[in-house]
Amino acid sequence: MQASRPASKLKFKNDLPKSTVFGDSAILIYDGIFDRQVLTKKWIQTFERKYSVRSGEKLKNIDTFPKHIKSILKLAQGLPTQEITLVVLGGGSVGDFAGFVASILKRGVRLVQIPSTWLAAVDSAHGGKTGLNVSKIKNQIGTFYPADEIYLIKSILKTQPEARVVEAFGEIIKISLLEGQGLWREGQKLKSISSDYYWKLLPQMIEAKYRIVQRDPQERLGIRHLLNLGHTVGHVWESQLKIPHGLAVLLGVAFAVEWSFARGLMNSKIYYEIRLSGMGSYLPDRFELKKLLRKIKQPQKFLLQDKKISTNRKIRYVFVKSPGRPVIESVSVQELIAEMARQAQ
Ligand SMILES: NC(=O)c1ccc[n+]([C@@H]2O[C@H](COP(=O)([O-])OP(=O)(O)OC[C@H]3O[C@@H](n4cnc5c(N)ncnc54)[C@H](O)[C@@H]3O)[C@@H](O)[C@H]2O)c1
Ligand SMILES: [Zn+2]
């Protein structure tokens, strides 16, 4: 199996392709909100086999998975295994869930992702990570199963409500800080977070993610771990405050920038350049971080359960020296908790 896909598998289109392009054995798995949208309602009806889901973390819950897989298996009945194509329309939760389904259904079937949120278009649809949550802890089980094709559809992405646009910004600033160079420089020009801006930079942002993934497709060398920038503390907020993933990551990136500066890894010139830059000015400030850190209860309990924490209670935390120069350092859970307490003061 190919572990990461070259850019040629990406298809940038204005509108959804006809369902017939996916063959006679296509099964559509989609976010049920699209049954209510004019743009997608008729398109969905053109699929003979389809399965509607409710997006969100509950969809990724292992407890309800058997019910879903039994229904999807029924849809697949009688189809030649080699010809089955799962077509997935939805945001990151639907993509993580359906990607996992594709990887285990009949031991693996063709997968086409049509990410419908900016977060999924920029990040989660690429790189092949699928995931389910166990006992409310995110992505405890999953597979590496890159999509065979990924469609980026302008009409779907550009009609998203403002909330979705803002939610994606966490992953966007994350990848821009990791990449540095042109992507970060483009970010200096950011005047307001908008769909137009995302669409324009989408190819560059996706390429930046692939550049990291291709060096370490299955996260064995520690390089791919860089993509966890902002996620360690982000996941604590996501789980405890029940805020969307992208917003939690945005907070997590701001926390990482603050810690990188306090630890002396980032100098004050770079720190203020980031904070005052077009993109960086959208990072939550110290006051906001303080307020939200005070809402976190028993971080130790959560951090020790999180999959990124090894048994010796050390975490590989992603710091930033400057845009384009991330660095991973091993820190103890106690150090992280002390830093959370420091920033909460
Ligand atoms: N696999 C990976 O590499 C990876 C990377 C980052 C995030 N993720 C996962 O992605 C998930 C978050 O992604 P998300 O925010 O896209 O999740 P989501 O699927 O829950 O979508 C968020 C909301 O947007 C709605 N929505 C979807 N498309 C829309 C559209 N076109 N117009 C209007 N509303 C729309 C959904 O119904 C939902 O209410 C998390 O579970 C996270 O763990 C995975
Ligand atoms: Zn993420």
Side-chain angles (χ1 to χ4, degrees):
M1 185 185 69
Q2 206 177 330
S4 63
R5 297 289 171 186
S8 61
K9 296 285 178 185
L10 298 175
K11 298 194 164 156
F12 291 85
K13 305 267 180 207
N14 285 331
D15 295 305
L16 286 163
K18 285 204 164 109
S19 59
T20 47
V21 306
F22 305 115
D24 295 337
S25 304
I27 302 173
L28 174 69
I29 298 183
Y30 68 100
D31 186 331
I33 62 157
F34 291 111
D35 278 326
R36 301 190 294 273
Q37 293 194 7
V38 189
L39 195 68
T40 43
K41 203 173 156 186
K42 282 205 177 117
W43 182 79
I44 290 168
Q45 284 162 4
T46 64
F47 282 84
E48 195 181 322
R49 296 168 200 85
K50 46 193 170 283
Y51 189 66
S52 160
V53 293
R54 208 171 164 165
S55 60
E57 289 308 304
K58 277 194 185 148
L59 173 64
K60 290 172 60 176
N61 186 334
I62 183 76
D63 299 336
T64 46
F65 190 73
K67 175 181 83 71
H68 290 301
I69 197 77
K70 277 183 196 157
S71 306
I72 295 165
L73 265 168
K74 265 193 201 143
L75 287 174
Q77 230 166 33
L79 297 177
T81 303
Q82 295 77 2
E83 287 173 29
I84 297 176
T85 299
L86 277 200
V87 181
V88 184
L89 173 67
S93 65
V94 182
D96 279 8
F97 159 84
F100 184 70
V101 170
S103 70
I104 59 161
L105 187 71
K106 312 271 182 186
R107 299 199 176 90
V109 296
R110 234 175 87 76
L111 172 65
V112 176
Q113 292 272 15
I114 310 178
S116 68
T117 61
W118 285 113
L119 184 144
V122 168
D123 190 359
S124 65
H126 313 281
K129 271 193 184 180
T130 78
L132 292 187
N133 307 337
V134 181
S135 307
K136 297 203 174 134
I137 308 179
K138 282 174 68 79
N139 307 325
Q140 291 300 288
I141 65 167
T143 47
F144 287 97
Y145 202 73
D148 294 276
E149 286 178 336
I150 302 166
Y151 283 80
L152 289 315
I153 309 290
K154 194 173 180 183
S155 56
I156 295 281
L157 293 171
K158 284 193 95 170
T159 52
Q160 287 177 76
E162 188 58 24
R164 299 287 97 77
V165 179
V166 175
E167 279 164 27
F169 191 67
E171 302 285 5
I172 286 177
I173 195 163
K174 175 196 86 175
I175 198 69
S176 304
L177 271 173
L178 290 174
E179 169 85 351
Q181 304 168 46
L183 202 48
W184 181 254
R185 272 200 304 279
E186 279 292 331
Q188 309 305 309
K189 297 180 207 153
L190 180 68
K191 295 257 176 344
S192 66
I193 296 173
S194 70
S195 285
D196 285 340
Y197 177 79
Y198 287 179
W199 182 253
K200 187 175 143 222
L201 288 189
L202 195 54
Q204 258 177 283
M205 294 190 288
I206 294 172
E207 282 303 321
K209 175 161 184 180
Y210 279 111
R211 261 194 288 281
I212 294 174
V213 171
Q214 274 160 1
R215 286 162 63 207
D216 182 17
Q218 303 212 344
E219 211 164 347
R220 301 255 161 84
L221 310 172
I223 300 166
R224 190 169 176 162
H225 187 74
L226 292 171
L227 292 167
N228 284 322
L229 173 61
H231 282 63
T232 309
V233 182
H235 278 163
V236 184
W237 272 307
E238 184 178 357
S239 116
Q240 291 207 0
L241 306 187
K242 307 277 176 263
I243 56 175
H245 180 78
L247 292 184
V249 171
L250 184 62
L251 290 165
V253 171
F255 180 91
V257 167
E258 289 299 324
W259 196 6
S260 302
F261 178 45
R263 207 173 161 85
L265 289 165
M266 180 188 286
N267 67 36
S268 58
K269 182 172 170 280
I270 304 276
Y271 173 78
Y272 288 108
E273 266 171 26
I274 290 177
R275 276 285 179 198
L276 300 172
S277 66
M279 263 192 169
S281 61
Y282 286 94
L283 281 173
D285 62 17
R286 284 181 184 172
F287 181 73
E288 204 168 333
L289 283 175
K290 176 165 60 173
K291 203 174 67 188
L292 291 165
L293 279 164
R294 286 179 176 180
K295 291 192 177 170
I296 293 180
K297 308 262 179 297
Q298 295 185 299
Q300 181 143 357
K301 202 170 153 209
F302 179 89
L303 286 165
L304 288 170
Q305 282 175 331
D306 193 83
K307 74 174 163 71
K308 288 166 192 90
I309 313 299
S310 61
T311 47
N312 65 5
R313 297 156 66 93
K314 288 272 187 184
I315 317 160
R316 297 175 61 246
Y317 190 86
V318 188
F319 293 95
V320 181
K321 285 186 171 175
S322 63
R325 286 177 68 213
V327 57
I328 296 174
E329 290 200 351
S330 177
V331 299
S332 66
V333 173
Q334 282 81 359
E335 268 181 280
L336 172 58
I337 289 169
E339 176 60 16
M340 289 167 81
R342 187 191 71 80
Q343 291 194 32
Q345 271 168 14

